Amino acid sequence: MKNLHLILLAIIITSCNNQTETVEKSEHSELKSPSYFFPSKRAQVLMVGSFHFAYPGLDDYKTSEDDKIDVLKEPKKSELTDLIEYIKKFKPNKIAVEAKPSWQAGKKYREYKTGKHNDKRDERYQIGMRVAQAFKLDTLYSIDAHSLQRDLAKKDSVLVDSLFENIIWDTPDPYWDMAEKWLNYNDQLIKEIPLLDYFKYMNSREYHQYGYGVYLSGSFSTGNGQGADRLSIWWYNRNLRIFSKIINITESEEDRILLVVGNGHAAVLRQLFESSPQYDLIEFDSL
């Protein structure tokens, strides 16, 4: 009986030691963050979210004639030069602009290098091409895209119209009213502060957050989900396609890509760049 007791005691001690060893191993095991599994060296992207210098008037919110600025006239002309000098600190080896293939960015850039288009107010010339020429780059990439909604409408416009027939386009929304006051404030602000300061403001994380949120107001919540459907295959899809084009021009983790887009796009693209393990998004105000 005594031997049996000793055997049982030995088993209990061994079991306790094994449990203690397991706990110690668990407590001291290294917890790997998700970033451990992805490269630390990534292609860098400087995203310059911009208002449209030429004011094409294609967005829902329209800037009044009295609030429009002219980047080819003082004082904004000199402020634009300061903005360009700041952006040049990034030293890009690739520049992409919000343009569709039909805009013929390559052809226009070749003409720009011969002295043409200097009188164009468009930010694709005044930022994209000016910086590209300063670094003697030979290519200007077009990364804008049509949306899935447009493609589907070309195949069956009746079907697409039926998908959105219950959306209430002019539904009252207090948050859109707030957004309009904010957008009007921006129109006033740009006249009062230097362009560089304004670009730092409009490319901040908080600005992009609320810029993204503006698209979630108004008709978005109507139509028993149709408003959400429309946003997903129109605006969000278009930006996903833009992002896919940027992936296609990325060749190395050594790439330094300058992206010049309307700031509404930048609000969505920020989320994509920050989520992708392929890119390191450089904050605009950090140069």
Side-chain angles (χ1 to χ4, degrees):
M1 182 67 70
K2 182 177 180 181
N3 290 338
L4 178 61
H5 287 166
L6 290 174
I7 292 171
L8 290 174
L9 180 60
I11 292 173
I12 293 172
I13 293 174
T14 302
S15 176
C16 290
N17 287 340
N18 288 340
Q19 290 179 7
T20 301
E21 183 179 353
T22 300
V23 171
E24 288 178 351
K25 285 183 178 179
S26 175
E27 290 176 348
H28 293 90
S29 62
E30 182 181 356
L31 180 64
K32 293 181 175 63
S33 71
S35 63
Y36 173 85
F37 299 92
F38 299 96
S40 58
K41 179 68 175 177
R42 308 177 184 188
Q44 293 190 334
V45 174
L46 177 67
M47 188 164 56
V48 181
S50 176
F51 65 98
H52 293 307
F53 289 1
Y55 297 99
L58 300 178
D59 299 320
D60 288 340
Y61 177 82
K62 315 293 184 187
T63 300
S64 69
E65 288 297 325
D66 291 340
D67 289 334
K68 293 178 180 178
I69 65 161
D70 191 337
V71 296
L72 299 182
K73 294 181 180 179
E74 296 294 354
K76 295 304 176 184
K77 181 179 180 180
S78 294
E79 293 175 11
L80 177 58
T81 298
D82 293 339
L83 174 64
I84 296 300
E85 291 303 311
Y86 179 80
I87 292 172
K88 283 164 60 177
K89 293 180 181 180
F90 178 63
K91 299 179 180 178
N93 72 324
K94 292 180 179 175
I95 298 178
V97 297
E98 181 190 339
K100 296 183 176 71
S102 59
W103 195 70
Q104 296 183 298
K107 177 177 180 291
K108 286 182 169 66
Y109 179 47
R110 289 191 295 273
E111 293 171 347
Y112 181 86
K113 290 191 288 186
T114 68
K116 296 181 179 180
H117 306 306
N118 288 313
D119 59 341
K120 302 289 179 60
R121 290 172 176 79
D122 192 315
E123 67 278 3
R124 291 172 290 192
Y125 296 103
Q126 294 300 330
I127 297 179
M129 293 189 190
R130 282 180 67 170
V131 177
Q133 187 176 42
F135 287 96
K136 296 180 171 57
L137 303 182
D138 59 6
T139 303
L140 191 70
Y141 295 93
S142 300
I143 47 78
D144 198 5
H146 292 294
S147 69
L148 176 60
Q149 178 186 334
R150 179 182 182 275
D151 293 345
L152 292 176
K154 289 177 67 176
K155 293 179 179 296
D156 192 335
S157 60
V158 175
L159 172 62
V160 172
D161 288 344
S162 71
L163 295 175
F164 309 131
E165 61 188 3
N166 295 322
I167 295 176
I168 305 174
W169 297 102
D170 58 351
T171 182
D173 188 321
Y175 289 98
W176 174 248
D177 294 340
M178 297 173 195
E180 283 193 312
K181 291 180 181 178
W182 174 43
L183 295 170
N184 183 257
Y185 165 78
N186 292 336
D187 283 344
Q188 307 307 312
L189 183 65
I190 195 173
K191 297 186 293 185
E192 299 171 2
I193 65 174
L195 273 179
L196 176 55
D197 292 341
Y198 186 75
F199 269 73
K200 288 180 178 180
Y201 160 72
M202 74 185 302
N203 281 281
S204 67
R205 179 183 297 276
E206 183 181 23
Y207 192 110
H208 285 161
Q209 175 187 343
Y210 283 93
Y212 194 145
V214 167
Y215 288 94
L216 307 179
S217 62
S219 61
F220 168 76
S221 60
T222 69
N224 192 27
Q226 288 188 354
D229 292 341
R230 197 249 178 182
L231 185 67
S232 64
I233 69 170
W234 163 61
W235 185 243
Y236 201 76
N237 175 261
R238 183 179 167 194
N239 285 286
L240 285 171
R241 288 182 168 189
I242 289 172
F243 186 71
S244 72
K245 287 191 173 186
I246 296 167
I247 290 177
N248 287 332
I249 69 170
T250 305
E251 299 173 303
S252 164
E253 69 276 2
E254 301 292 336
D255 276 343
R256 299 175 62 82
I257 303 171
L258 172 64
L259 176 60
V260 182
V261 293
N263 207 32
H265 295 287
V268 181
L269 291 169
R270 169 185 281 275
Q271 177 197 42
L272 303 178
F273 281 119
E274 289 183 338
S275 300
S276 171
Q278 188 173 353
Y279 296 102
D280 180 13
L281 181 65
I282 305 301
E283 290 293 343
F284 184 81
D285 67 354
S286 69
L287 297 182

